[in-house]
Amino acid sequence: MSTTPETTTENTPPAPAPATNDVVEQMRIALDGPWRDLRERIRGELPWEAISGTPGESIEAQRERVTRQVLALADKGYGSIGFPTQYGGTLDYGASCVAFEMEAYGDLSLLIKNGVQFGLFGGAVSRLGTDKHLAAYVPDIMSGKLMGCFAMTEVGHGSNVAAVETTATYDAQTDEIVVHSPTVSATKTYIGNAAKDGRAAAVFAQLVVPSVGDVADGEEETPSKGVHVVVVPIRDEDGNPMPGVTIGDNGVKGGLPGVDNGTIAFDHVCVPRENLLDKFGGIDETGTYVSEIDNINRRFFTMLGTLVRGRVCVGGGAGAAAQKALAIAVRYGEQRRQFSAPGSPDELVVLDYLAHQRKLLPRLAKSFALRFTQNAMTARLQELEDAATSSEKETPGADHEDAQRELEAWVAGMKAQTTWHALDTIQACREACGGAGYMATNGLTQMRADIDVFATFEGDNTVLMQLVAKGLLTEYKDQWGDLDIAGTIAKVTAQTVEGLVENTLKRAGLQRLIDGATPRNDETALDSRGWQESMFSERASHLLETAAMRLRKAGKSDGFAVFNAAQDHILAAAKADIDLRIFEAFKEGLEAMPEGEARKLMAKVFDLYALASIEEDKGWFIEHGRITTSRSKAVTTRINELCAELRPHAVDLTKAFGIPESWLENDLIDLGQDRAGVTA
Amino acid sequence: MSTTPETTTENTPPAPAPATNDVVEQMRIALDGPWRDLRERIRGELPWEAISGTPGESIEAQRERVTRQVLALADKGYGSIGFPTQYGGTLDYGASCVAFEMEAYGDLSLLIKNGVQFGLFGGAVSRLGTDKHLAAYVPDIMSGKLMGCFAMTEVGHGSNVAAVETTATYDAQTDEIVVHSPTVSATKTYIGNAAKDGRAAAVFAQLVVPSVGDVADGEEETPSKGVHVVVVPIRDEDGNPMPGVTIGDNGVKGGLPGVDNGTIAFDHVCVPRENLLDKFGGIDETGTYVSEIDNINRRFFTMLGTLVRGRVCVGGGAGAAAQKALAIAVRYGEQRRQFSAPGSPDELVVLDYLAHQRKLLPRLAKSFALRFTQNAMTARLQELEDAATSSEKETPGADHEDAQRELEAWVAGMKAQTTWHALDTIQACREACGGAGYMATNGLTQMRADIDVFATFEGDNTVLMQLVAKGLLTEYKDQWGDLDIAGTIAKVTAQTVEGLVENTLKRAGLQRLIDGATPRNDETALDSRGWQESMFSERASHLLETAAMRLRKAGKSDGFAVFNAAQDHILAAAKADIDLRIFEAFKEGLEAMPEGEARKLMAKVFDLYALASIEEDKGWFIEHGRITTSRSKAVTTRINELCAELRPHAVDLTKAFGIPESWLENDLIDLGQDRAGVTA
């Protein structure tokens, strides 16, 4: 273990005492979560060169470099993680998410190119295909021999995947599927691996299977089977586009310069019937469409659901980038001096200023919270995977389907929250490093530019939060439907009482009266986990219940108008739900730690996360009588105290993420320490 | 006027009625402000090619292109705006800020290169130099024949300019000034024009003038005269560095690829005594330091104060970029369709969703507010300039100095608020345009990358807000000092009463009681300009007074600790002050408009700005008893209504910025409108 980078102390003033290292190690164990061994392996075996980028080089050069690195990583076995072992895959499904997180400390163009090849293209083939597809494609995908695209997004349809216009029409005469782009807006776009490397594409298209023979009345008559995925060769061995395939280059983007995003249009391209990935719906030898899922919507969502890993990865990758940005900015803040305190000849290090602590430490605490949640979510993904694999059933049962839908909502919300957090955090870190932060050599600006699109791809964040809300509202409706009369009355009564109390508070200021009478209680409550938890959970349930009530008023004719007028409310309910899940994950992570200094320190980080979240939304909490105005002010005071208490541990806290020093030092800003007037 | 682009209606569905155009024109006149003629001239005469960029090209190619464009603009006379007319300058000082704003609709690398050459380098020479310098340099600066640097920032000192380490030591023997970088951290860095084009640099250095002959006791004895600026040739005619000058290239940055930022270090470089820019302090023929300003600090701040235009420009440029981003995103939102409403075959345009309106319209309203403020601030800059120029005095009087300090604080705060607004807005616009927003051809991502550093250069935003606070606190202290005993008692009593009322409110919920009794009053008040204004002004004065009280408790020994513990409070006071100024500027702008439809529409934009600002800080307003919880909820409801009311005017509102269509159409996103299922 002496070679593991995290025990290296060089370049890290002040030198931490051994005891501190134990604390760091304990925290790191907690943050590493269930796939700690894999994280340790990657830390030990991946040299920086294998994953580092070259900001500023031409797009052509970066694309070449990234392709080289993808193949080199595949050679090391990184392409095989998470594929079924019977086809040469290694480790488990969740491990592929953890590997993705670790790779996100490196160049993000490389990360996304890896994600496209092994996660999206490889994932589509292995999750939507059947044995024949896995046997035919997976080994070559894992080795990088067959580079492929995930051709879902179209010019006209990003978020609304169900409405893609590309068609895949079965022709019984030739026993082939004809893939076609009927309109300009049906052109596939932003497709990674398309512009340069892709040989094949997993194409999302409306499957059309004309009925065979006579169809009885009442039977399914429509030839439209909804969105399915077909593997289509797009380039020949020499790299030329296949007949009928038109490939374009998206060219310069806001970031990810090493990813060859492009457009693909199809002009009646014929592929064998077997190229349809038919796990959830296929065409048999008689030319008849067969699926165990009759409902076209359920089939669509089941298919998309199997691809949930992509969003787990995107969120995890963004979270990792934010961690790295904080590691860079905190170290800079620990060394950079500017302005002296009155009476002192030396300038202060900037992290000693409250404003600087306020900029970095709450974001650091949130990064801890998100990492715990990411671990829990990945573990849950693996749990459901294990359950599905151990089951002999071809199609998942209703319980499993519910669990899967719930996971999808959680993942969707976390993807949105983590990518937004990353954008906000990397920007704050850039500004906290001043002009030095703007220099490409210091790693922050390319990271920021690359992460930008994480808020949009794999689902637009706002649309994803809408999806969370939809899940919550459906579940809520289901619960109400299931309640017996007595239960309904009890619930209605409880809500009415709550409404009454809230109105009474509003009118009579009862809460403020209580508050005036029990000021001590306010103060002692701030660090109480139970109180913090009640804030998160009451906000989530209140927002959901009131959103549901608003929507219940909608009639047939004004349905959209009612929904739209409540959209901000609905999105707030979704965010509150995700925030609660994050809180719970942090709590579980903390409680799993052994008693000791590390746990005490972690508890303070948790307090900072919880209180900063409450402060951010203090308007809501006061509006709804959840905190008094004096308690709200006390929250702010306590956050400032926590910043001061955590400030000496700031560098150690960033070390707890376990980013190898050798992956960081290239990005550590040269401070030109040789200066006049500094004696410390 | 038929050739002015803003009357062109092509590409803008739905076609606006003539009446609407009048409204747009009226709003544009209001937003154009005092330099409307110049704005119109630039709109008419500058072709897009003159100011457009080439994202994705190599840094070398972009630098070449930008240099070419700078010289072409200089040929058209754009370099001469704002320089003294006796040396060939044209128009007035404020006009140079307005021209900068207009150029900010184009490539921002070009903008900054222009700013470095004509604003910073040219500004330093013309504002800190005397006739001999202006005669010698200004004509060549305006033509671009003499390209120059503004060498202020050092590796070790960005914000703390007073502590730069570069020295400029007068040598009486040779009658020369020796410019030297004594440490690594004294190296000048991030200096525009340094890496490629600069022939000379205005170097900020500690001036050292050893005393001549005997010095009487009590006279100024120190040879250190504080920071002064010396013109130093850095390259010869062939472009090679001058002896003793070491030039480096900062290389790849987060943005502004066309600006050749670099480092400069001096090894005992000798220049004639005359190269010292000596308006505020110089060395006479006897080798004696002479200045009309004795106090070294006052001298430093007077010198820096003359350079305030740089910050006016940076804020204005960022504001213009935000306007352009909104113009792009609003048009996209007006055309892009995604998801259909229940019962409708067609997908909705995304701007019809409340969440999308919420993303764009409050930011649009704030852009209006900032534009009015920018106009008022630029006019004030010109006013003080006129006053200074018409005065025969060499050094400004005390009144003028107070006015100047006040302007500087305003400018500092606006620079910070506008650049942060721009970053936030461009990012929201990028996300609102989805994947299309991430394509470089659509203009948003390069803009975002370029604007990033605006938050740091010309003063780190947080440090600038600190400067605003310092000004407020000083002014507040001065006021208190001037009060007679009776006045002091009255003021203390008033504050005590306010404190008592606030505490009473806290305990007894009186405000909520009042609120319960007068619900109608709450609702009618929301659109009341007086009520809105009272919110802005009471917040500003309360935060300032309470911050001052906290600081008054500080003793000698714990001064920094008390300040630091209150830093978030102090910064909030500064922001509240700037927000109030923005409110006042919007109010004045609105009131100057003729009665009619345009004014009515503008009033709604103002309401949205004001209410969204209040909502953003609703926690504070409720905490401090300024709004009730029910009023706070009503604010949110009203914002949603205003979004719906303004939504049909969204494109028109962006047209009111007066960005020529020909400057926009290159960035307008190709929507691939040819799609299935859209009948509208």
Side-chain angles (χ1 to χ4, degrees):
Chain A
M1 291 293 291
S2 64
T3 58
T4 54
E6 68 281 356
T7 54
T8 309
T9 56
E10 52 181 343
N11 289 333
T12 317
T20 313
N21 261 334
D22 288 345
V23 169
V24 170
E25 184 61 13
Q26 286 297 325
M27 286 195 299
R28 197 159 65 84
I29 290 170
L31 285 175
D32 272 357
W35 282 270
R36 174 169 166 82
D37 289 349
L38 176 60
R39 289 187 196 269
E40 285 288 88
R41 197 191 103 193
I42 296 175
R43 284 172 189 136
E45 80 179 19
L46 261 197
W48 177 238
E49 301 73 56
I51 56 169
S52 63
T54 51
E57 274 197 5
S58 74
I59 284 185
E60 292 69 31
Q62 301 212 43
R63 286 180 177 180
E64 288 300 332
R65 187 251 313 157
V66 166
T67 303
R68 251 193 338 268
Q69 286 173 314
V70 167
L71 295 174
L73 284 173
D75 274 351
K76 278 178 181 271
Y78 277 77
S80 316
I81 302 174
F83 281 100
T85 47
Q86 61 267 45
Y87 301 101
T90 58
L91 301 177
D92 57 31
Y93 200 50
S96 62
C97 304
V98 174
F100 191 90
E101 266 184 78
M102 294 300 292
E103 290 166 17
Y105 294 133
D107 177 49
L108 294 164
S109 285
L110 171 61
L111 179 80
I112 295 308
K113 183 97 170 177
N114 272 330
V116 166
Q117 170 66 15
F118 307 114
L120 294 177
F121 176 59
V125 169
S126 62
R127 315 293 291 183
L128 301 177
T130 44
D131 282 342
K132 60 181 178 291
H133 301 110
L134 275 88
Y137 298 122
V138 162
D140 285 351
I141 291 173
M142 295 189 305
S143 71
K145 190 178 164 197
L146 176 67
M147 297 287 265
C149 307
F150 183 79
M152 177 189 268
T153 299
E154 298 180 353
V155 168
H157 290 92
S159 296
N160 193 2
V161 179
V164 293
E165 297 172 60
T166 302
T167 51
T169 309
Y170 178 65
D171 181 346
Q173 301 271 300
T174 58
D175 197 25
E176 286 183 327
I177 293 171
V178 185
V179 178
H180 184 60
S181 312
T183 62
V184 171
S185 68
T187 306
K188 299 292 178 185
T189 190
Y190 317 139
I191 309 299
N193 257 349
K196 185 171 82 71
D197 288 336
R199 290 283 188 271
V203 179
F204 285 72
Q206 304 288 350
L207 181 65
V208 180
V209 185
S211 300
V212 189
D214 292 339
V215 176
D217 275 357
E219 292 284 297
E220 186 180 56
E221 283 179 82
T222 169
S224 299
K225 309 302 174 190
V227 176
H228 286 65
V229 181
V230 184
V231 176
V232 183
I234 60 167
R235 281 193 180 86
D236 62 23
E237 287 293 315
D238 299 327
N240 300 312
M242 298 291 282
V245 175
T246 305
I247 298 176
D249 192 325
N250 282 131
V252 185
K253 305 182 300 290
L256 301 177
V259 184
D260 56 326
N261 296 87
T263 61
I264 315 174
F266 303 95
D267 182 8
H268 298 93
V269 175
C270 299
V271 298
R273 172 170 55 88
E274 288 73 25
N275 282 28
L276 175 66
L277 298 175
D278 56 355
K279 181 162 185 186
F280 298 104
I283 302 167
D284 68 14
E285 282 153 27
T286 71
T288 305
Y289 180 76
V290 283
S291 170
E292 299 201 18
I293 310 176
D294 288 337
N295 183 289
I296 197 166
N297 273 326
R298 216 186 116 220
R299 199 156 61 213
F300 174 68
F301 285 112
T302 302
M303 286 170 64
L304 281 197
T306 61
L307 306 176
V308 68
R309 181 181 58 172
R311 286 180 185 157
V312 175
C313 286
V314 164
Q323 293 157 19
K324 190 175 173 195
L326 285 162
I328 293 168
V330 164
R331 285 163 199 237
Y332 183 76
E334 180 76 286
Q335 294 179 47
R336 174 72 175 179
R337 293 174 180 276
Q338 209 72 188
F339 297 109
S340 55
S344 161
D346 295 344
E347 295 181 295
L348 289 158
V349 295
V350 295
L351 196 53
D352 282 339
Y353 293 101
L354 173 65
H356 212 79
Q357 294 163 12
R358 271 274 187 171
K359 216 172 263 176
L360 298 180
L361 299 186
R363 290 179 169 100
L364 181 57
K366 188 167 178 183
S367 284
F368 272 61
L370 292 171
R371 174 80 167 260
F372 278 121
T373 318
Q374 183 73 23
N375 287 344
M377 207 168 65
T378 310
R380 180 67 178 153
L381 177 79
Q382 184 60 42
E383 227 172 77
L384 292 186
E385 175 73 7
D386 289 342
T389 314
S390 69
S391 154
E392 289 307 299
K393 296 172 74 174
E394 280 286 307
T395 50
D399 277 0
H400 185 273
E401 202 170 308
D402 284 352
Q404 176 71 21
R405 283 303 91 81
E406 209 219 329
L407 174 67
E408 285 164 28
W410 187 13
V411 168
M414 274 295 290
K415 184 270 185 185
Q417 295 309 315
T418 312
T419 55
W420 272 330
H421 166 72
L423 281 174
D424 166 68
T425 295
I426 301 168
Q427 181 61 23
C429 289
R430 203 298 289 160
E431 291 180 29
C433 293
Y438 199 57
M439 299 299 114
T441 47
N442 295 319
L444 293 168
T445 54
Q446 186 64 54
M447 193 194 292
R448 172 66 184 63
D450 293 339
I451 288 288
D452 183 355
V453 79
F454 282 48
T456 309
F457 68 16
E458 281 285 329
D460 171 86
N461 278 359
T462 302
V463 175
L464 291 183
M465 291 308 288
Q466 194 67 53
L467 197 147
V468 174
K470 193 182 158 199
L472 288 171
L473 290 163
T474 307
E475 194 190 347
Y476 185 79
K477 200 173 149 195
D478 289 350
Q479 276 182 2
W480 272 76
D482 292 336
L483 287 176
D484 59 16
I485 302 287
T488 308
I489 290 170
K491 188 134 180 71
V492 169
T493 310
Q495 276 187 354
T496 311
V497 169
E498 190 179 5
L500 272 175
V501 169
E502 202 175 301
N503 281 323
T504 310
L505 284 179
K506 210 180 293 171
R507 297 214 185 83
L510 196 58
Q511 183 63 32
R512 288 189 178 202
L513 282 169
I514 295 165
D515 183 37
T518 56
R520 293 295 313 157
N521 196 30
D522 266 12
E523 281 176 38
T524 51
L526 286 181
D527 289 11
S528 148
R529 204 67 68 206
W531 173 74
Q532 293 168 359
E533 190 169 25
S534 71
M535 290 298 99
F536 279 71
S537 66
E538 284 178 25
R539 178 179 56 179
S541 57
H542 183 90
L543 279 166
L544 175 60
E545 281 164 15
T546 47
M549 274 191 271
R550 281 178 76 172
L551 294 183
R552 202 170 302 139
K553 291 172 192 156
K556 279 245 165 191
S557 61
D558 64 349
F560 177 73
V562 171
F563 155 78
N564 204 32
Q567 197 183 12
D568 57 335
H569 186 161
I570 293 166
L571 290 171
K575 180 165 187 308
D577 174 72
I578 298 300
D579 281 346
L580 175 60
R581 285 167 179 274
I582 296 169
F583 185 95
E584 297 300 341
F586 204 148
K587 192 176 147 200
E588 280 168 34
L590 176 68
E591 285 171 358
M593 289 179 76
E595 291 293 346
E597 284 309 307
R599 181 165 165 162
K600 278 183 199 159
L601 187 58
M602 187 67 88
K604 277 195 187 179
V605 177
F606 193 177
D607 282 342
L608 181 57
Y609 163 69
L611 295 179
S613 298
I614 290 169
E615 187 190 48
E616 210 173 75
D617 206 12
K618 67 182 178 183
W620 189 91
F621 285 109
I622 308 174
E623 265 179 11
H624 293 80
R626 258 58 179 190
I627 58 175
T628 63
T629 54
S630 62
R631 189 178 306 199
S632 170
K633 289 179 184 176
V635 165
T636 297
T637 306
R638 182 66 194 133
I639 290 170
N640 288 354
E641 289 168 4
L642 282 166
C643 282
E645 290 168 27
L646 287 172
R647 186 255 168 274
H649 306 280
V651 169
D652 278 350
L653 291 174
T654 63
K655 285 188 179 180
F657 294 131
I659 311 167
E661 291 291 320
S662 62
W663 296 7
L664 266 180
E665 62 195 17
N666 293 277
D667 291 332
L668 285 182
I669 289 163
D670 178 8
L671 288 165
Q673 287 291 11
D674 172 20
R675 67 197 298 179
V678 174
T679 55
Chain B
M1 291 293 289
S2 63
T3 58
T4 53
E6 68 283 355
T7 54
T8 308
T9 56
E10 52 181 342
N11 290 337
T12 317
T20 314
N21 262 334
D22 288 344
V23 169
V24 171
E25 184 61 12
Q26 287 297 326
M27 286 194 298
R28 196 159 67 83
I29 289 169
L31 285 175
D32 272 358
W35 281 271
R36 173 168 167 81
D37 289 349
L38 176 61
R39 290 187 195 270
E40 286 287 89
R41 197 191 102 194
I42 295 175
R43 284 170 189 138
E45 80 179 18
L46 261 197
W48 176 238
E49 301 73 55
I51 55 169
S52 62
T54 51
E57 272 198 5
S58 74
I59 285 185
E60 292 68 31
Q62 301 213 41
R63 286 180 176 181
E64 287 301 332
R65 187 250 315 155
V66 166
T67 303
R68 252 192 337 269
Q69 286 174 315
V70 167
L71 295 174
L73 284 173
D75 274 353
K76 277 178 182 271
Y78 278 77
S80 318
I81 301 174
F83 280 100
T85 48
Q86 61 267 46
Y87 299 101
T90 58
L91 302 176
D92 57 29
Y93 199 51
S96 62
C97 304
V98 174
F100 191 91
E101 266 182 77
M102 295 299 293
E103 290 166 17
Y105 295 133
D107 176 49
L108 295 164
S109 286
L110 172 61
L111 180 80
I112 294 309
K113 183 94 169 177
N114 272 329
V116 165
Q117 170 66 14
F118 307 114
L120 294 178
F121 175 59
V125 169
S126 63
R127 313 293 291 181
L128 301 178
T130 44
D131 283 343
K132 60 182 179 288
H133 301 111
L134 277 89
Y137 300 122
V138 163
D140 285 351
I141 292 174
M142 295 190 305
S143 71
K145 190 178 163 198
L146 176 66
M147 297 287 264
C149 309
F150 183 78
M152 178 188 268
T153 298
E154 298 180 353
V155 168
H157 291 92
S159 297
N160 193 3
V161 179
V164 294
E165 296 172 60
T166 304
T167 52
T169 309
Y170 177 64
D171 182 345
Q173 301 270 300
T174 58
D175 197 27
E176 286 183 327
I177 293 170
V178 185
V179 178
H180 184 60
S181 313
T183 60
V184 171
S185 68
T187 306
K188 298 292 178 184
T189 189
Y190 318 139
I191 310 299
N193 257 350
K196 184 170 81 72
D197 288 337
R199 290 284 188 273
V203 179
F204 285 71
Q206 303 289 349
L207 182 64
V208 180
V209 185
S211 301
V212 188
D214 292 338
V215 177
D217 276 358
E219 292 283 295
E220 187 180 55
E221 284 178 81
T222 170
S224 301
K225 308 303 175 189
V227 176
H228 286 66
V229 181
V230 184
V231 176
V232 183
I234 60 167
R235 280 194 181 84
D236 62 23
E237 287 293 316
D238 299 327
N240 301 311
M242 297 291 283
V245 176
T246 306
I247 298 175
D249 192 326
N250 282 129
V252 185
K253 305 183 300 289
L256 301 177
V259 183
D260 56 326
N261 295 87
T263 60
I264 315 175
F266 303 96
D267 183 7
H268 299 92
V269 176
C270 299
V271 297
R273 172 170 54 89
E274 289 72 26
N275 282 28
L276 175 66
L277 299 174
D278 57 354
K279 182 163 185 186
F280 299 105
I283 303 166
D284 70 13
E285 281 153 27
T286 72
T288 306
Y289 180 77
V290 285
S291 170
E292 299 200 18
I293 310 174
D294 288 336
N295 182 290
I296 198 167
N297 273 327
R298 216 186 116 218
R299 200 156 61 215
F300 174 67
F301 285 113
T302 303
M303 288 170 63
L304 281 197
T306 61
L307 306 176
V308 67
R309 181 182 58 174
R311 286 179 185 159
V312 176
C313 286
V314 164
Q323 292 157 19
K324 191 175 172 195
L326 285 162
I328 294 168
V330 164
R331 284 163 200 235
Y332 183 76
E334 180 77 285
Q335 294 177 46
R336 173 74 175 180
R337 293 174 181 275
Q338 209 73 188
F339 296 109
S340 54
S344 160
D346 294 343
E347 294 182 295
L348 290 159
V349 293
V350 293
L351 196 53
D352 281 340
Y353 293 101
L354 174 64
H356 212 79
Q357 295 163 11
R358 272 275 188 171
K359 215 173 265 179
L360 298 180
L361 300 185
R363 291 179 168 98
L364 181 58
K366 188 168 180 184
S367 284
F368 271 61
L370 292 171
R371 174 79 167 259
F372 278 121
T373 319
Q374 183 73 21
N375 287 345
M377 208 168 62
T378 310
R380 181 65 180 154
L381 176 78
Q382 185 60 41
E383 229 172 75
L384 292 187
E385 175 72 6
D386 288 343
T389 315
S390 69
S391 153
E392 289 306 300
K393 295 170 71 173
E394 280 285 306
T395 50
D399 278 2
H400 185 272
E401 203 172 306
D402 284 351
Q404 177 71 22
R405 284 303 92 80
E406 209 219 327
L407 174 67
E408 285 164 29
W410 187 12
V411 168
M414 275 295 290
K415 184 270 184 185
Q417 294 310 314
T418 312
T419 54
W420 272 329
H421 166 73
L423 282 175
D424 166 69
T425 296
I426 301 168
Q427 181 61 24
C429 290
R430 202 299 287 160
E431 291 180 28
C433 293
Y438 199 58
M439 299 298 115
T441 47
N442 295 320
L444 294 169
T445 54
Q446 186 65 54
M447 193 193 293
R448 173 65 184 64
D450 293 339
I451 288 289
D452 183 356
V453 79
F454 282 49
T456 307
F457 69 16
E458 280 287 328
D460 171 87
N461 278 1
T462 303
V463 175
L464 291 181
M465 291 308 288
Q466 194 68 51
L467 197 146
V468 174
K470 192 183 157 199
L472 289 170
L473 289 163
T474 307
E475 195 189 346
Y476 185 79
K477 199 175 150 197
D478 289 349
Q479 279 183 359
W480 272 75
D482 291 337
L483 287 175
D484 59 15
I485 303 286
T488 308
I489 290 169
K491 187 132 180 73
V492 170
T493 310
Q495 276 186 351
T496 311
V497 168
E498 191 179 0
L500 272 174
V501 169
E502 202 175 301
N503 282 322
T504 310
L505 284 177
K506 211 180 289 172
R507 298 214 185 84
L510 194 59
Q511 182 63 33
R512 287 188 179 201
L513 281 170
I514 296 166
D515 183 39
T518 56
R520 292 295 311 157
N521 195 30
D522 267 11
E523 281 178 36
T524 51
L526 285 182
D527 289 10
S528 150
R529 203 68 67 209
W531 173 75
Q532 292 168 359
E533 192 169 23
S534 71
M535 289 299 100
F536 279 70
S537 64
E538 284 178 27
R539 178 179 55 179
S541 57
H542 182 90
L543 278 166
L544 175 59
E545 283 163 14
T546 46
M549 275 191 272
R550 282 178 75 173
L551 294 184
R552 203 171 302 138
K553 290 174 195 154
K556 281 243 162 186
S557 62
D558 65 347
F560 176 73
V562 171
F563 155 79
N564 204 32
Q567 198 182 11
D568 58 335
H569 186 161
I570 293 165
L571 291 171
K575 180 166 188 305
D577 176 73
I578 298 300
D579 281 347
L580 175 60
R581 286 168 178 274
I582 296 168
F583 185 95
E584 297 301 340
F586 204 147
K587 192 177 148 199
E588 279 168 34
L590 176 68
E591 284 171 359
M593 290 179 76
E595 293 291 346
E597 284 309 308
R599 182 167 165 159
K600 278 184 200 158
L601 187 57
M602 187 67 88
K604 278 194 187 179
V605 176
F606 194 178
D607 284 340
L608 180 57
Y609 164 69
L611 295 179
S613 298
I614 291 169
E615 187 191 48
E616 212 173 74
D617 206 11
K618 68 182 176 183
W620 189 92
F621 285 110
I622 309 174
E623 265 178 10
H624 294 82
R626 259 61 181 187
I627 56 175
T628 63
T629 54
S630 63
R631 189 178 306 196
S632 170
K633 289 179 185 176
V635 165
T636 296
T637 305
R638 182 68 192 133
I639 291 170
N640 287 354
E641 287 168 6
L642 282 166
C643 282
E645 290 168 27
L646 288 171
R647 186 256 169 274
H649 306 279
V651 169
D652 277 351
L653 292 174
T654 64
K655 285 188 178 177
F657 294 131
I659 310 168
E661 291 292 321
S662 62
W663 296 6
L664 264 181
E665 60 196 18
N666 294 278
D667 291 330
L668 286 181
I669 289 162
D670 178 9
L671 289 164
Q673 286 291 11
D674 173 19
R675 68 198 294 179
V678 175
T679 56

